[in-house]
Amino acid sequence: MQRLNRDAIVAIFLLAFCGVLFWASFEIRQPDYGVLLPSTWPRVIIGVLAFLSVLYLIQSLKSGAEAIDDDKYDAEHPRGLGFRGWLVHWKNPLWCFFLFFLYLLSLPVLGMLIGGVTFVYVLMGVLGGWDGNKPYLHAAFAIGTIGAMWSLFTFGLGVLLPPGMILGQF
């Protein structure tokens, strides 16, 4: 019998969590007006999360129990070196949280469009590097993704996103 690794256990937990969320979505009040039910988008997101969790489970079951061995991982990441080792180990998530905090602070001034493009550009540069043609690629992805999301919310869904002080004057 095959032993489950940690990834498989996490995937099973995520699938159970998706089941609880989907069950809870039936408690969303259904109004008498409107074409689209308020529970539609949460159920779509839960369905996508469940699909990705199933893929995660399949991938973790294919890797087998040998994924439990952490000796190679510990050799690459010096977690045992105190606070400095902890910082080295969690460097990327800490950068993500720090830059997102700066994005939230800059939101009233820059707005969602300019602040979002700046946040994605800087985050991609910090995590992916600045060498070669990467800054141009980062700029294209930042403008494309944030522009598409802004267009979807503004024109498709009719949601007013914060314009900030710069674009709020136009």
Side-chain angles (χ1 to χ4, degrees):
M1 182 170 179
Q2 182 180 356
R3 186 173 163 198
L4 291 178
N5 59 20
R6 282 180 258 181
D7 288 337
I9 294 169
V10 169
I12 292 169
F13 174 77
L14 285 172
L15 283 170
F17 183 65
C18 288
V20 169
L21 288 177
F22 193 78
W23 181 30
S25 72
F26 288 102
E27 297 295 322
I28 298 175
R29 185 178 59 86
Q30 306 295 332
D32 295 335
Y33 57 87
V35 178
L36 193 63
L37 297 175
S39 60
T40 303
W41 286 112
R43 288 180 186 162
V44 167
I45 293 171
I46 294 166
V48 170
L49 182 61
F51 174 72
L52 293 175
S53 297
V54 167
L55 291 179
Y56 184 35
L57 179 63
I58 291 170
Q59 183 181 13
S60 64
L61 290 176
K62 281 184 180 178
S63 68
E66 67 270 2
I68 294 174
D69 186 21
D70 280 342
D71 293 337
K72 298 175 190 170
Y73 181 74
D74 287 336
E76 295 173 7
H77 298 283
R79 285 189 285 179
L81 298 178
F83 184 69
R84 183 174 179 167
W86 183 85
L87 280 177
V88 168
H89 179 74
W90 295 105
K91 175 183 64 171
N92 288 345
L94 288 172
W95 269 115
C96 291
F97 282 116
F98 176 71
L99 290 174
F100 186 70
F101 177 71
L102 291 179
Y103 164 70
L104 291 178
L105 286 178
S106 70
L107 203 55
V109 177
L110 298 176
M112 187 271 168
L113 190 59
I114 296 173
V117 169
T118 306
F119 167 68
V120 171
Y121 177 76
V122 172
L123 187 63
M124 287 182 74
V126 167
L127 297 179
W130 299 101
D131 54 332
N133 288 333
K134 285 185 180 179
Y136 300 114
L137 189 62
H138 296 334
F141 275 110
I143 292 169
T145 55
I146 297 298
M149 186 178 71
W150 178 80
S151 298
L152 172 73
F153 275 88
T154 303
F155 302 117
L157 300 174
V159 176
L160 296 175
L161 297 172
M165 291 204 274
I166 296 172
L167 292 179
Q169 296 176 2
F170 295 108

